Amino acid sequence: FIPIVYMDERFAVVNKPAGMLVHRSHQAQDRVFLLQTLRNQIGKHIHIVNRLDRAVSGLMCVAFDAETAASAQEVMSRDTSTKEYLAIVRGATPEGIFKSDAPLTDKDSSMGTKREAHSIFETLSSFPIEIAEPFNPSLAEAVNPNASGAKSSSESPADATGTGAGTEFDEGAMFARNVTVSVVKVAISTGRRHQIRRHLKGLQHNILGDTTYGKGRINQALRDGYGLPRLCLHSRRLEIDHPVTNERMVLEAPLPEDLACFLSNLPKAPVGLVNSL
């Protein structure tokens, strides 16, 4: 079942579930797709206006005829259209608003063609969390130069934090350290492949749960410790002109339950943060 946020005779906006491909792909063996599911659900032929990656949830536009689809794509490209996302990322992002205008290479471009890409970010919250990872001497030393291996003979591996000196770790010991997590609002005026994910990686604020552009060790620690469910990216808000009537539309999709639960599991997330999203 695909939740429908808005629908008329020619145009609709749906709330795409995370984990669902938009349409069939020779690169995947999925048997459930948004395009076919929505077609069966409402009994109409579907034209995709914009796509979301499989792991991304949130607002997505479709049309019921080719003319409306073309008009909607033109509307989405206008400077007056707002496409807003929420992302949960690693690191302390700059206070307030920051940007990335780094050009991005087209997918499968044999010439390495780069196209302009523009993303605007706004930090909503940053806070520390503690994660536990398999002990890595170079990581422990980077976090604490005095940590040459920090487990006394009375410590269990789970208690090893890498904060002492002159002792040795048993095989399988864990290293606890603090990392910062930030919640950011994202607005894009271009729609390049994986644009938000690639721009945030370039800024060293990889999206949590990103298995392509993210940090595998941190993602695994967050899965184990706090129930990180998936890529933490959600298409939250659209402000566009209707492709047929030109009426201004403001559409929203609240933070999905899986991401809300993950944020709630983080002990130092500000009280009320989830409800504000």
Side-chain angles (χ1 to χ4, degrees), residues 9-24:
E9 292 182 353
R10 299 180 64 178
F11 177 72
V13 179
V14 302
N15 188 357
K16 175 189 168 299
M20 178 180 283
L21 280 175
V22 171
H23 51 66
R24 296 182 187 276

Side-chain angles (χ1 to χ4, degrees), residues 59 82-86 234-239 250-253:
L59 298 174
T82 299
K83 295 164 282 186
E84 182 183 294
Y85 295 73
L86 282 175
H234 174 66
S235 175
R236 173 196 185 189
R237 187 172 185 270
L238 282 175
E239 187 171 345
V250 179
L251 304 160
E252 296 185 345

Side-chain angles (χ1 to χ4, degrees), residues 138-145 147 175-178:
S138 60
L139 177 60
E141 202 166 325
V143 174
N144 180 357
F175 173 73
R177 65 185 178 110
N178 286 327

Side-chain angles (χ1 to χ4, degrees), residues 71 74-75 78 80 240-249:
S71 177
E74 188 277 323
V75 164
R78 294 176 187 170
T80 55
I240 59 174
D241 297 325
H242 190 285
V244 178
T245 67
N246 212 39
E247 180 183 357
R248 195 65 172 169
M249 306 175 68

Side-chain angles (χ1 to χ4, degrees), residues 228-277:
L228 173 67
R230 57 158 169 111
L231 177 75
C232 293
L233 183 61
H234 174 66
S235 175
R236 173 196 185 189
R237 187 172 185 270
L238 282 175
E239 187 171 345
I240 59 174
D241 297 325
H242 190 285
V244 178
T245 67
N246 212 39
E247 180 183 357
R248 195 65 172 169
M249 306 175 68
V250 179
L251 304 160
E252 296 185 345
L255 193 69
E257 184 177 356
D258 60 347
L259 297 186
C261 287
F262 169 63
L263 275 178
S264 297
N265 288 341
L266 303 181
K268 294 189 178 180
V271 175
L273 174 62
V274 172
N275 291 337
S276 71
L277 303 176

Side-chain angles (χ1 to χ4, degrees), residues 90-92 199-206 215:
R90 77 175 183 98
H199 271 171
L200 283 167
K201 176 188 177 183
L203 295 170
Q204 299 184 21
H205 293 300
N206 316 65
K215 294 291 185 178

Side-chain angles (χ1 to χ4, degrees), residues 109-155:
S109 171
S110 59
M111 302 295 292
T113 305
K114 290 184 179 291
R115 301 173 67 190
E116 65 174 327
H118 307 288
S119 304
I120 300 175
F121 307 95
E122 181 180 354
T123 299
L124 303 180
S125 182
S126 295
F127 50 91
I129 60 171
E130 184 180 272
I131 60 173
E133 303 173 273
F135 180 69
N136 178 315
S138 60
L139 177 60
E141 202 166 325
V143 174
N144 180 357
N146 295 320
S148 58
K151 191 181 80 67
S152 68
S153 59
S154 62
E155 281 185 299

